[in-house]
Amino acid sequence: MSNLFGQRVAIVSYRLGMADGVSVTAAQWATALRRIGMRVRMVAGDGHADVLLPGLALDAAQPPSQRSLGAALDDADIVIADNVCSLPMNRTAGEAVAEYLRGRPAVLRHHDLPWERERYAAVTTWPPDDPSWRHVTVNEMARRSLAARRAIAATTIYHGFDEDPRPEERDVLRKRLDVGDGPLVLQPTRAIARKNVDVGLALAESLGGTFWLTGPAEDGFAAELGRLLRGAHIPVRRRLPDDTDMASAYAACDAVVLPSSWEGFGLPLIESALHRKPIAIGDFPVARELAAFGFRWFPATDPEPLRAWLANPDPSLLDHNEAIARTHFGIGALATRLELLLSGTPVCHHADTDKDAGGSPACDCLTA
């Protein structure tokens, strides 16, 4: 809306400008907000941001002071607290942000909620709420559970992708990775327990390919990852080579695997479609939610359907998935939804779902 043009918005989180899902999708929001004419500032405790406040970092010993938050945020017309008031990974930092935002226009975006993680299951008074705030979840399941557990009304806004496919980089990167003619199976995730690296590795082994895991080992998973990779019977590649990005990785691979048991969203579900790659997935709840848009995916635990497709690729599957992703999960769609959200207009992702692509799911989306 025209009244948003020129307004200042600050996005604040534990860390930004990195490869984690919050960082990636915070950058999506920044791009979309700039498209509707807003001025964006990124504020974080760690990573690469316009303003760094060390007290916001995940490992900060002390939370940021109200004075330092004011210096970073006072001139913002609206503040977007991106997961910093959601999953209490550094609760004192989140509480400091919540205290600062009381009575101020703000959007609290929730990628993860306490009851979705066993270690935070006992937290029952989080996330915080205030009449001046709007809450956003990244999936419908979280929106419903937020209402049921905390009586907080939220709007679901799915991520919006502005991908830059570069298929011309395929051969160069495959040569750099020393990949032969067999399929290169990309798992573009961190290595933590719920990402089920063992399932991704098993799929690649069944296909007789090379397994490529791009993310770091975190949450104490390094020893288990080392054990899994030492026992592998196929070539394994780790991390991204220097001066290489995920667009190049998607270009180089033959298939993508996302075998997770839990994801707040699952970025590779959409990224793979936009880069025109088949994907094999785990049976996690949000994947079932997004499948209602009509995507066609392969199971991560049964290699045969993907093996058959790779032996005789059908471009119509890639066309189909790409069309759905561009229609419902493009950066333009996100910009429209953020404009609606900030103007108080109802936001619904399913209103224009193509029935031929899987039907229009029953939707009880709330107003922003």
Side-chain angles (χ1 to χ4, degrees):
M1 294 291 177
S2 59
N3 64 318
L4 299 175
F5 188 87
Q7 288 196 16
R8 297 181 178 90
V9 58
I11 299 176
V12 58
S13 193
Y14 295 124
R15 59 186 181 185
L16 292 171
M18 301 175 74
D20 61 285
V22 173
S23 291
V24 170
T25 58
Q28 293 175 354
W29 273 43
T31 298
L33 290 166
R34 291 186 179 108
R35 282 198 175 199
I36 60 176
M38 302 188 78
R39 291 180 284 177
V40 181
R41 177 187 308 140
M42 311 296 271
V43 180
D46 195 10
H48 306 282
D50 300 311
V51 179
L52 286 175
L53 294 182
L56 289 171
L58 290 171
D59 59 355
Q62 296 292 329
S65 67
Q66 294 300 295
R67 181 177 180 179
S68 66
L69 288 168
L73 303 173
D74 272 355
D75 66 342
D77 297 294
I78 190 164
V79 174
I80 297 168
D82 210 344
N83 224 41
V84 72
C85 292
S86 308
L87 200 63
M89 299 174 73
N90 182 343
R91 185 160 176 175
T92 59
E95 288 171 341
V97 172
E99 179 183 350
Y100 171 81
L101 291 177
R102 297 282 178 200
R104 298 172 183 263
V107 172
L108 272 61
R109 181 160 74 140
H110 308 296
H111 299 252
D112 310 282
L113 294 164
W115 49 88
E116 297 172 352
R117 299 284 191 275
E118 184 177 351
R119 65 187 291 194
Y120 303 119
V123 178
T124 59
T125 59
W126 202 249
D129 192 22
D130 185 271
S132 300
W133 302 344
R134 294 172 182 162
H135 293 263
V136 167
T137 56
V138 300
N139 62 67
E140 280 288 276
M141 181 176 61
R143 182 183 68 79
R144 295 187 179 108
S145 68
L146 187 59
R149 290 175 178 261
R150 294 281 293 121
I152 293 175
T155 298
T156 296
I157 296 185
Y158 294 131
H159 301 319
F161 295 75
D162 190 21
E163 296 297 299
D164 178 27
R166 297 196 294 274
E168 69 277 6
E169 297 183 7
R170 173 181 171 85
D171 292 341
V172 171
L173 184 51
R174 287 176 71 92
K175 183 176 181 179
R176 188 173 176 184
L177 292 169
D178 191 22
V179 176
D181 295 332
L184 176 59
V185 179
L186 172 68
Q187 182 164 338
T189 72
R190 297 173 292 151
I192 58 178
R194 64 184 173 86
K195 303 291 186 179
N196 292 336
V197 174
D198 58 325
V199 177
L201 180 59
L203 177 71
E205 286 188 344
S206 295
L207 297 174
T210 297
F211 180 65
W212 186 12
L213 177 68
T214 57
E218 295 181 350
D219 295 351
F221 197 75
E224 175 64 11
L225 177 64
R227 185 191 69 79
L228 289 171
L229 299 187
R230 284 192 300 272
H233 301 294
I234 57 171
V236 173
R237 301 293 180 263
R238 288 286 288 118
R239 310 300 294 267
L240 290 170
D242 291 341
D243 303 320
T244 302
D245 60 14
M246 286 310 304
S248 299
Y250 278 110
C253 77
D254 297 288
V256 182
V257 62
L258 183 66
S260 303
S261 57
W262 180 271
E263 293 283 350
F265 186 88
L267 302 183
L269 297 175
I270 310 302
E271 292 169 345
S272 63
L274 295 172
H275 288 273
R276 297 182 58 81
K277 300 293 178 176
I279 185 169
I281 69 166
D283 185 27
F284 58 92
V286 176
R288 295 194 294 271
E289 179 179 320
L290 297 180
F293 284 90
F295 288 109
R296 297 173 186 167
W297 297 320
F298 296 95
T301 54
D302 179 4
E304 294 310 316
L306 179 57
R307 188 198 312 277
W309 191 92
L310 290 171
N312 186 24
D314 178 6
S316 68
L317 179 143
L318 306 180
D319 295 340
H320 176 86
N321 287 347
E322 182 184 16
I324 295 172
R326 291 198 180 281
T327 299
H328 297 286
F329 301 93
I331 198 70
L334 176 60
T336 297
R337 286 163 186 150
L338 291 180
E339 195 169 33
L340 293 173
L341 173 79
L342 297 179
S343 63
T345 306
V347 180
C348 179
H349 290 266
H350 297 129
D352 58 350
T353 300
D354 183 351
K355 291 183 179 180
D356 291 335
S360 183
C363 184
D364 57 346
C365 297
L366 299 180
T367 58

